């Protein structure tokens, strides 16, 4: 589950705020193009004519939130959303808000959630010399599970943060806060996602099912923690790395000395890339009172990320050593570790674009760690 976070505020330099009355007068004069023939802004679908009627902002929270932004900011947000849809534009219009709700247009979170699963499944397969088809089947089940449960986590996050997302131009276009998906519809959709997730969990052994189900508490409560602690990344990392535990019993292995170090390795890895991710919105978070490790650590973030990455590599190598992994594992660990430290050295924490690039680049870092495990496994069963 790639669990997304809302980042709240309006960045300085994006434009001056306008009062509700001025916003409505501007609409009457300019009639921006984003109001025409679009389901993107259902709050304005009132048969607008050249004489725009006054909107009672107190009775209309979506309109009240939009009054904080200029017409140009809203249009820019709309265009950015449309540009980011990519291939989703080919689907029926009614489906798109729900696909956005589970972040289908942003698969990075799903791939990062999947990485610890591939590590544990393949390492367990190596330890037991599991048949290739059994390993492929379990990797497929976890891939679908990561996609569905990350989507459910994003849905929960947007439901929790619907009154926070509407305070920053970057997130005001999200399906719930923009009004394209109502709360009853979101609840129904979440129920459907969880039902599919249950079907996936039922493909696993009973002990593995119970271990997987226990993570749902963390998934459901994560959005709450960024309101009360500067360390919500701890909760996120704890649930986002659950697959590092789950893959072992899924392959019939219960070996805690191997499982725990691999889980901790994924935990420190997630702490690192999510801290860098949080630096994207630190200006917004300060204004809104949202807490994160990016704000808690500030200028010391890089030093702490180096320390966490060192801990990650120590735990990763320990797990592989106790599992009896071969030479390719250590080559993959060395290549992945070098790449990770180099990324930390080069990232500019004051550049949101650079932080996002770092976040996405960790997908390939996770693949490198897995490749070493996979090559050892393939050599063991075929040579």
């Amino acid at each position: 589950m790639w669990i997304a976070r809302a980042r709240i505020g309006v960045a300085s330099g994006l434009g001056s705020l306008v009062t509700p009355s001025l916003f409505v007068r501007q609409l009457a004069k300019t009639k921006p193009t984003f109001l025409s023939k679009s389901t993107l802004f259902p709050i304005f679908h009132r048969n607008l004519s050249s004489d725009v009627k006054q909107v009672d902002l107190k009775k209309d929270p979506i309109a009240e939130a939009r009054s904080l932004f200029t017409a140009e900011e809203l249009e820019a947000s709309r265009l950015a959303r449309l540009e980011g849809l990519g291939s989703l534009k080919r689907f029926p219009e009614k489906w798109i808000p729900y696909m956005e709700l589970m972040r289908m247009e942003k698969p990075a979170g799903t791939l990062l959630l999947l990485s610890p699963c591939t590590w544990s499944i393949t390492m367990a397969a190596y330890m037991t010399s599991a048949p290739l088809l059994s390993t492929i089947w379990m990797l497929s089940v976890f891939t679908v599970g990561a996609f569905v449960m990350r989507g459910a986590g994003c849905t929960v996050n947007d439901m929790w943060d619907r009154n926070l997302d509407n305070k920053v131009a970057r997130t005001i276009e999200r399906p719930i806060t923009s009004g394209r998906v109502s709360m009853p519809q979101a609840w129904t959709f979440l129920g459907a996602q969880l039902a599919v997730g249950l079907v996936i969990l039922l493909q696993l052994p009973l002990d593995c099912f119970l271990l997987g189900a226990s993570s749902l508490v963390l998934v459901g409560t994560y959005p709450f923690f960024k309101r009360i602690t500067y360390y919500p990344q701890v909760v996120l990392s704890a649930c986002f790395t659950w697959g590092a535990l789950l893959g072992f019993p899924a392959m019939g292995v219960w070996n805690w000395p191997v499982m725990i170090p691999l889980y901790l390795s994924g935990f420190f890895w997630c702490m690192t890339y999510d801290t860098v991710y949080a630096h994207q919105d630190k200006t917004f978070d300060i204004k809104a009172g949202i807490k994160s490790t990016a704000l808690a650590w500030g200028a010391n973030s890089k030093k702490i990320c180096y320390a966490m990455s060192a801990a990650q590599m120590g735990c990763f190598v320990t797990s592989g050593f106790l599992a009896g992994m071969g030479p390719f594992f250590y080559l993959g660990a060395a290549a992945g570790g070098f790449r990770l430290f180099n990324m930390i050295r080069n990232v500019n924490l004051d550049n949101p674009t650079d932080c996002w690039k770092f976040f996405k680049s960790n997908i390939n870092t996770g693949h490198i760690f897995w490749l070493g495990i996979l090559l050892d496994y393939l050599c063991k069963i075929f040579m």
Side-chain angles (χ1 to χ4, degrees):
M1 68 199 125
W2 176 238
I3 304 174
R5 296 158 293 295
R7 308 294 178 191
I8 305 128
V10 180
S12 59
L14 287 178
S16 60
L17 299 178
V18 294
T19 62
S21 60
L22 177 55
F23 180 75
V24 174
R25 288 201 301 272
Q26 288 175 331
L27 285 178
K29 292 179 180 179
T30 62
K31 195 176 181 181
T33 57
F34 62 83
L35 297 177
S36 62
K37 298 181 179 181
S38 173
T39 57
L40 298 174
F41 300 98
I43 195 61
F44 292 120
H45 292 173
R46 310 176 188 279
N47 298 321
L48 290 175
S49 63
S50 57
D51 297 323
V52 179
K53 297 180 180 179
Q54 292 285 332
V55 178
D56 188 346
L57 298 178
K58 292 182 179 180
K59 295 181 180 180
D60 203 333
I62 298 179
E64 182 178 7
R66 290 186 175 277
S67 71
L68 298 174
F69 304 96
T70 65
E72 290 79 9
E73 288 170 340
L74 292 171
E75 178 69 354
S77 181
R78 181 185 77 91
L79 293 176
R81 183 186 74 83
L82 288 176
E83 183 179 356
L85 287 179
S87 60
L88 266 61
K89 296 176 183 178
R90 302 174 184 176
F91 289 87
E93 187 176 351
K94 292 183 179 180
W95 295 11
I96 294 177
Y98 296 97
M99 299 170 82
E100 290 180 84
L101 195 59
M102 60 189 302
R103 305 290 197 275
M104 285 183 63
E105 80 282 15
K106 297 177 180 178
T110 299
L111 295 172
L112 287 170
L113 176 64
L114 181 61
S115 271
C117 304
T118 63
W119 303 347
S120 59
I121 291 171
T122 312
M123 189 176 288
Y126 174 88
M127 294 169 68
T128 60
S129 299
L132 181 60
L133 288 179
S134 298
T135 305
I136 292 175
W137 164 250
M138 200 53 66
L139 287 170
S140 300
V141 169
F142 272 69
T143 298
V144 176
F147 172 76
V148 173
M149 295 312 297
R150 186 255 180 163
C154 291
T155 300
V156 170
N157 185 81
D158 283 9
M159 292 170 71
W160 269 85
D161 290 349
R162 63 189 183 277
N163 293 323
L164 302 178
D165 286 342
N166 60 11
K167 294 179 175 63
V168 58
R170 187 176 68 84
T171 57
I172 199 170
E173 272 291 292
R174 285 183 175 172
I176 296 177
T177 197
S178 67
R180 290 179 292 124
V181 174
S182 67
M183 281 298 291
Q185 289 171 329
W187 277 111
T188 302
F189 185 59
L190 176 61
Q193 290 173 286
L194 293 177
V196 175
L198 177 61
V199 172
I200 294 169
L201 282 175
L202 290 174
Q203 308 304 309
L204 306 177
L206 179 60
D207 51 358
C208 188
F209 170 87
L210 296 175
L211 180 61
S214 65
S215 69
L216 294 178
V217 175
L218 293 173
V219 174
T221 57
Y222 158 69
F224 172 70
F225 284 92
K226 58 188 168 186
R227 294 163 168 80
I228 63 172
T229 175
Y230 278 100
Y231 297 91
Q233 278 74 21
V234 172
V235 181
L236 174 68
S237 300
C239 63
F240 218 67
T241 313
W242 209 255
L245 294 175
L246 206 58
F248 286 96
M251 296 298 292
V253 174
W254 281 98
N255 188 324
W256 289 108
V258 174
M259 293 165 62
I260 292 177
L262 191 66
Y263 174 77
L264 291 175
S265 176
F267 173 85
F268 288 122
W269 183 45
C270 186
M271 284 288 295
T272 299
Y273 67 66
D274 205 65
T275 294
V276 174
Y277 181 95
H279 272 273
Q280 290 183 104
D281 299 309
K282 54 192 175 185
T283 302
F284 297 149
D285 291 348
I286 290 172
K287 294 179 180 179
I290 297 298
K291 300 174 175 62
S292 72
T293 49
L295 296 180
W297 296 337
N300 293 318
S301 291
K302 275 200 176 188
K303 294 179 182 178
I304 297 175
C305 283
Y306 277 127
M308 290 192 297
S309 295
Q312 173 197 344
M313 295 310 304
C315 291
F316 189 76
V317 172
T318 298
S319 178
F321 175 78
L322 294 175
M325 298 300 300
F328 286 111
F329 168 83
Y330 295 101
L331 288 174
F338 173 81
R339 188 174 194 274
L340 180 61
F341 281 100
N342 192 52
M343 287 165 53
I344 295 173
R345 179 174 64 85
N346 291 326
V347 67
N348 181 357
L349 297 179
D350 294 322
N351 185 330
T353 301
D354 216 31
C355 293
W356 172 248
K357 181 180 178 181
F358 175 94
F359 178 78
K360 289 186 65 177
S361 292
N362 274 277
I363 296 171
N364 289 332
T365 303
H367 290 164
I368 292 171
F369 288 131
W370 177 55
L371 181 61
I373 303 172
L374 178 64
L375 290 176
D376 272 348
Y377 166 64
L378 293 176
C379 287
K380 186 174 185 179
I381 63 174
F382 288 120
M383 297 179 66

